[in-house]
Structure formats: structure tokens, C-alpha cells
Amino acid sequence: MDKSLEKSLTQWLKSRQFACGVFLKLSIFLGIVNGLAIVAQAYYLATILDGVIMQHQSVMALQGAFVTLICLFAARALIAYARERVSFEAGKRLRQDIRQTILNKLIELGPVWIKGRPAGAWASIVFEQVEDLHDFYAKYLPQMMLAGFIPLTILVCVFPLNWAAGLILLVTAPLIPMFMILVGMGAADANRKNFTALSRLSGHFMDRLKGLSTLRLFHRGEVELNKVEVASEDFRTRTMSVLRLAFLSSAVLEFFAAVSIAVLAVYFGFSYLGHLNFGHYDLGISLFTGLFILILAPEFYQPLRDLGTHYHAKAQAIGAAESLVELLNTPTPQTKANAEPSNVDIDLSCVSIEAKNLTVYSQDGVCLLGPLSFSIAAKQHVAIVGPSGAGKTSLINALLGFLPYQGELSINGQPLNQISLAQWRQNLAWLGQDPQLFHGSLRDNVALANPQLSDEQVMKLLTQANLGEFVASHAQGLNVSISDQATGVSVGQAQRIALARALGQQASVYVLDEPTASLDLHSEQLVQQALNQAMSGKTCVMITHRIDQLTAMDNIMVLNQGKLVQQGQFDVLANDRSGMFAQLLNDEKETV
């Protein structure tokens, strides 16, 4: 990974630590208290051993030291427990904040941008990659502070007793972080590649799972199974490379710590044997001094070893942060529209729409539609027709705020990109040809946009959508279970449930995209009847291929190859035999 990129990702990770609240600081504080308790524990333990062995003191004479030592053991256990709980809470709050930020960003980007990647890839980002940030905040960041404080505190205690022992500790200490950095240089890149492989595998598997019936129908199951196996093997290989780095770093850090402690033990051993006579300020080396320093030696290296152990958490977090930062830095359709959103609040109880030289672009900057100009008066019903690929859905997505555009697109005279999107969408009722129902009860799906609806209000909406008889005849009533992908209800029932949900929004503008597609004649009539009743006195923009049913529309816009080629009422457009609308009308009659 490029060093500048790694540095910027590390800075981004540290900039998010505010989400941990006070818990991150509390974790560091408890670690510092634990470090002081370690020094005190070593002091009393060395005092007891020196008193019993060298000064031949009785146990009763050392009773106070024994009691203090036992209290220190208990205190350290409680501090360690509290620190684990506090550290976990810090990581949990961070994960919640990051997930909410990601979801808010996805809402801003809209479904058009989201559909550009498989659902499994988003699941990998929102779940696995966010989870891999936990240890960075819960363990690595606090350990960074402790790796400096505890060894420094121990050196302050050791140097006044024996400068040679302090020098050994000071010289050998950098070996551990030095190797930690060398290993970490490759660990971040390995983790990044691992996350890429996981995202690819998740998206690949989810897509194949959703299309399982189609794959079986065309006898492609074995081929796709082999592809999943290849993707799984790639992920396994990358995972093992990450694990190898983690185990290698742990083993080498343990080795250097053991060697350093051994050097210190050899120094004291030879000093007690009389072969070495330096480092003690000509005061000699007492048993207390040797025991105190040797007891502290493992604790001196322990914070550095823990930092090395947790260093792979930093590499893991950097690998996860790359795609997260890329997602969060993605320009929204509003920021691409060359206007700073001012979130102006306007009255949207009655909505008019006007476009001048409007050009709609994809997220990649490809022109999808325009330039075109049109106006939709308040309470007017407008149909958008045209052959496939004409730009109908792109125009609707621009109105919904899901695609960037240039030119003027105004709502009640106010530029769309200066209106609060939340306020604008609260006044929209969207009904497409493939309604999205969610796992839960029928009540939950209808009341999704307005959870405060009572059972009576939900039932009234279902009755308006011509679904009241179905609910009344069902044993579970409003508690009818609906699974993902609208499993458990027919296509027509799913369409009418979505219609009831749209009716519950009390919207000012209805945006419809083939709302009666894939319905039988009876269901189509019921949905259309409910729509006509709900849209009375409301602004409506509808995409449809049912050209012969547009006689009641106030205006019809005909698109072709991204251009507005015709506009007017049904009779006028139908009588223009040379126009696109008449051609579409004739094609539909021939198909019928």
C-alpha cells in the first residue's frame, strides 16, 4: 500500500475516535492505574522476599506488606476486568457510529448508486469491515499510550537503583516496536487484499443465491459452483497469509522479549557471583534490587509486546478503512449538481416542477438524458413514455435526487439541489413495478413510512388499496407474515401492499414507474382504481408503456434517445401520425 495512503487512512481512523466518547480515555486511565499497581506489586513482593530471605524477618513483621500485596492482586484483577468492559464499550460505540454514517451515506447516494454493486459486497462493508475496526479502538489506541507510559515509569524506578539494568532495558526496548513496524508494513496490504477478496466472494455468492432457480433452469449450477469454489479458495489463501503474518509477529516479539529478560537475568546472576561489578553506584546489589528489577522486567516489555500483538489490529483496520473512506468520500448526486445544498424549507403541500436545459448524468459522469425543458403544473397528471432506453427512469431518478444533473430543476420555483432532500422525499409517494417488501408483518410493511399508524388506520389504507377483504379473511389479519422478496403474497397483493404504504404517506407528489406491470387484468384495475382516487388533487408523474390508457392524463411527455421529442395531450399526439407517440401507439395495438 502506498505510504501516503496508509498515513491518510491512519489519520482518518484516529479522527473517528471521538465516537468512542469518554470510554477510550477511561480505558487509557485504567491502564495507567494498572501500570502503577504493577510497580507497587513488584515493590512489595521484592520487599517480602528480601525480608524473609536476607533479613530473616518473621511473617508477622511483614503482615502489612502481605495484606497490601493481596489487595494489589485483587485490585489489578478488578482493573483488568473494568478495562476490558470499558474498551469493548468504546469499540461498540465506534462501530455503531460508523455503521450509522455508512447507512446515512448510502441513503444520500440513493438506490441507483447502490445497485451498482452486489448486495453481498455491501453486507461485507457494513458488517465484516466495520467489525474489523473494533480492536483498533478497543485495544490498539489505548495500548499506544500505555506502551509509552508504563515502560517510562519502570525506567524511572529502575535507573536510581541500577543504571546498568536501566540501560539494558532502554537499549533492548526498541527491538520490539522496530520489528513490529517491519511486519506491519506488509500486514496492512495483506488485510486490504483480504477484504477485497471477501467483498468479491460475498457479492458473487449472494448474486448466485438470488438467481438459484434461474441457474437450475439453465443447468448452470455446476459451473457457478466451480466459480464459487475458486473465489472461496482465493479468500482462504489471502486469509492464511494474514494469519501467517500475525503468528510470525507474535512469535518474534516473544523471542525478543525473552532474550532481553535473559540478558538482564545474566547480568544480575554474574553480579551476585562477583564477576561483574558495575551499574550499582558503588552501593552494591541487594537481593531487593535484583528481585524488584527482574519482577518488573517482564512488565516492562509487556506493553510493547501487547502493542505488537495489537499492531495487526491497526493493519486490519487500515485494510478495512480503505473501502469505507472511499465510500464516505463518494460525491452525492447533490454535490455533483454544482450547487451547495442550503436545505431551504418550502411549502410542499402543492407541488409544481419545472426544468430548463436539464441534463442528467450517471454516477460516472455519462450523459443519460437531455438537455430538455418542461414544466409540470401543480395537481397536474403527467405521463412519460418512450421506447426502452429513452431516459424515462433517469429523469425520475433525477427528480428523486438519486442522479446528478446540470441545468435547472426547480420545485415550486426553488432549485431542487437547494431543498432539504429529507423534506422533499417526505412529500413523495413512490410506487414502482417491483415493490420492495421487507421481512415482518403486513402491518410493519404498510406502516414503514409512518410507524405511528394505528391498526384501524392501517386497515383503512389496505381497504383503499383493495386489499381489505384479503386481510379480513386471513386468520392472522394484520399479522400476516411477509418474508424477504415478498415471499408469501402474490405479485398483485405485493403491489397493493406497496400502494397502501404509499397512500399512508399523505404525499403531495406521486411518482409511479409502471405501477401495474406484471399484474393480471383484475389486479391492474384494482390498483389503478385506488391510484386514481388517491391522486385526486395531487401532482403525478408516471412512467408507463400502456399508451392506450393515457386518455385521462393532463399531459404526455414523449422521450426518445434522451431527448424530449413530443409533448401534449393524448388526442393531439395520437393524431400526429409522423410523431413518436403515434408510432408507440400503433406498436402497442399490433402487439395486442
Side-chain angles (χ1 to χ4, degrees), residues 333 336-338 354-362 365-374 391 394-395 397-399 403-409 417 562-563:
K336 287 184 177 181
N338 297 326
E354 184 176 6
K356 293 182 180 179
N357 297 319
L358 175 67
T359 304
V360 181
Y361 296 91
S362 69
V366 178
C367 180
L368 302 175
L369 176 73
L372 69 163
S373 301
F374 62 87
S394 298
L395 178 57
N397 283 326
L399 281 174
L403 284 177
Y405 66 86
Q406 288 184 348
E408 297 182 22
L409 182 57
N417 50 26
K563 304 294 183 182

Side-chain angles (χ1 to χ4, degrees), residues 30-186:
L30 291 173
I32 291 174
V33 173
N34 184 57
L36 296 175
I38 288 172
V39 175
Q41 177 182 294
Y43 172 80
Y44 282 103
L45 186 58
T47 299
I48 292 172
L49 292 174
D50 181 67
V52 171
I53 298 172
M54 300 303 295
Q55 301 178 27
H56 306 290
Q57 294 179 345
S58 65
V59 175
M60 293 302 297
L62 297 170
Q63 184 178 3
F66 272 112
V67 172
T68 304
L69 184 61
I70 293 172
C71 291
L72 285 172
F73 279 130
R76 284 194 62 194
L78 290 175
I79 291 171
Y81 172 76
R83 185 166 174 245
E84 284 294 324
R85 294 297 301 267
V86 166
S87 297
F88 179 82
E89 185 65 26
K92 185 183 79 172
R93 289 176 175 248
L94 182 280
R95 286 180 285 129
Q96 289 175 339
D97 179 76
I98 292 290
R99 281 203 176 98
Q100 190 60 54
T101 301
I102 291 172
L103 293 176
N104 291 340
K105 185 66 177 183
L106 291 177
I107 291 173
E108 290 179 8
L109 292 171
V112 176
W113 195 87
I114 294 173
K115 287 181 180 179
R117 296 178 67 175
W122 294 122
S124 174
I125 290 176
V126 175
F127 292 102
E128 283 88 350
Q129 293 184 226
V130 173
E131 282 294 322
D132 285 318
L133 299 179
H134 176 86
D135 285 350
F136 178 82
Y137 296 92
K139 297 180 179 180
Y140 179 76
L141 282 183
Q143 196 61 39
M144 281 269 296
M145 298 295 295
L146 299 179
F149 175 81
I150 294 178
L152 184 61
T153 302
I154 292 175
L155 285 176
V156 169
C157 296
V158 169
F159 264 108
L161 298 175
N162 190 292
W163 63 263
L167 192 61
I168 291 173
L169 292 175
L170 186 62
V171 170
T172 55
L175 294 175
I176 295 177
M178 185 185 302
F179 183 80
M180 174 185 70
I181 293 172
L182 291 175
V183 173
M185 291 171 65

